Structures are given as C-alpha cells and as structure tokens.
Amino acid sequence: MSERIYDGPIDENAILAWAYDEDLLFLEQDEDLLVGAHHEFFPLLARLSKDASCPKADYCLTIMDFRLMFWVLRKHPRAAEEIRNVLIHLLDSDRPLIRNFVHVNNLRLDLLKGVPVPTLHRALEVGEAALNGVCRKSEISVVDDGEAWIVELSVPPFHTHKEWLSLSKVDGAYSFRR
C-alpha cells in the first residue's frame, strides 16, 4: 500500500477520486471530519455508499452518520432537514448497513420531533441510534431517573470518555452532555 495525500480543493471530482482509490487520503488523520464538513457533497457520498464497487462505500456512510449524529445531539436547526435530504438518496438501497443507517436516522428524526420515550426498550433503541449510530460501537446503558431515561455511552477499554443523553419519557425532550 502506498498512501498518497490529496492536497487540492475538495470538490466532486476530488471526492470521486478519493472514494475509488484505497490509497488516496485527504489527510493522514481526521479526513472523515474534513469530508463530513462538506454537506453539499452528502448526496454524492450517499450515492457512493450504495455502490458495491466503491472501496470506501461504508466509510462514506459512516462519515455522514457521524456528522448527522452530532447535529442531532447538539440540536442544530437544520438537522432534520439534512437527515431527510440524505435519506432520500438511500431509500432505494437494500444494503444492510444502509438499511440500518435509514433506521437509525428515522429514530433521530423522532428524537428531534420530541416523540415520547415511555419504555426502557425504546430508551435503549433511541440512545443507541443517537449516541452510536452506525459509525460507533461504544457501550450503552440506561438508568431510570423518574421522569427521564439517562442513557450513558462509555468508550472501552478504559471508559474514560463518556457521553450522556437524557430522554423525557413523556414529551421526548432531550439533552446531551459529555
């Protein structure tokens, strides 16, 4: 493997070249954050994620997932619109990872709408979607705090990084903290 770093402007041609070349990198570190910051290319990333011949298909999907996850957790005013725009490009796919991505983001849309979270099972499902999505695999636990569920994400192996999501059982209101 002979990795190469692309140092030109991020445009559609650069993303296409990067996606189909396993050795081409935008950066040595955090290229997912660089690509994810370009929401204008999410339709292209969605198309690439459906292409079985694209070596970075799953990576394209997880880049969008990570960015959308934090838009929802931080209550970005355009989070719901952005999710719906991405899902439009993915609904015709039968790839399991994409089907999971669609499910996760429908749960995120419910979270943004304030759908009540009355049961432990639902709190686990929503917490997993909100905090892990398809791109992370951290441990999730839930505690009943009376009127809310407290969902905790804990990152192994040392569990020093934690995140919490409080979900109202009655009105679905939520808050996020690290």
Side-chain angles (χ1 to χ4, degrees):
M1 183 189 256
S2 57
E3 293 179 339
R4 299 175 322 282
I5 305 293
Y6 174 82
D7 63 357
I10 305 297
D11 59 18
E12 186 169 329
N13 290 331
I15 290 175
L16 285 168
W18 164 83
Y20 287 101
D21 184 341
E22 291 185 63
D23 297 330
L24 186 60
L25 304 173
F26 282 123
L27 296 171
E28 291 181 34
Q29 183 178 344
D30 295 332
E31 76 177 350
D32 56 334
L33 299 177
L34 173 73
V35 175
H38 291 276
H39 286 257
E40 67 272 22
F41 297 120
F42 276 21
L44 174 59
L45 292 175
R47 190 174 81 226
L48 291 166
S49 72
K50 295 189 306 185
D51 183 355
S53 69
C54 178
K56 294 179 183 168
D58 290 352
Y59 192 31
C60 290
L61 196 68
T62 62
I63 286 170
M64 292 184 296
D65 183 62
F66 190 77
R67 188 62 167 206
L68 293 173
M69 173 176 48
F70 280 101
W71 270 34
V72 169
L73 292 172
R74 293 179 177 138
K75 299 181 182 180
H76 190 286
R78 291 193 339 265
E81 174 188 356
E82 192 70 35
I83 289 171
R84 285 190 290 273
N85 287 341
V86 169
L87 292 182
I88 287 169
H89 297 282
L90 297 172
L91 292 175
D92 62 341
S93 175
D94 60 356
R95 287 191 61 225
L97 185 61
I98 291 176
R99 300 291 348 139
N100 188 35
F101 178 88
V102 169
H103 175 70
V104 159
N105 280 286
N106 280 320
L107 288 169
R108 289 175 179 163
L109 287 172
D110 285 351
L111 187 61
L112 289 167
K113 290 179 208 168
V115 174
V117 184
T119 66
L120 173 64
H121 174 74
R122 182 66 174 181
L124 276 167
E125 183 180 39
V126 171
E128 181 73 32
L131 295 172
N132 269 333
V134 299
C135 65
R136 299 201 294 183
K137 304 294 178 221
S138 296
E139 295 177 13
I140 298 285
S141 62
V142 179
V143 174
D144 187 339
D145 191 36
E147 297 197 14
W149 301 103
I150 307 301
V151 182
E152 179 184 89
L153 173 137
S154 184
V155 180
F158 303 113
H159 300 281
T160 54
H161 176 84
K162 295 184 184 258
E163 298 173 2
W164 296 270
L165 183 66
S166 174
L167 301 167
S168 170
K169 295 176 182 179
V170 177
D171 65 10
Y174 71 96
S175 63
F176 169 73
R177 68 183 170 88
R178 290 180 141 178

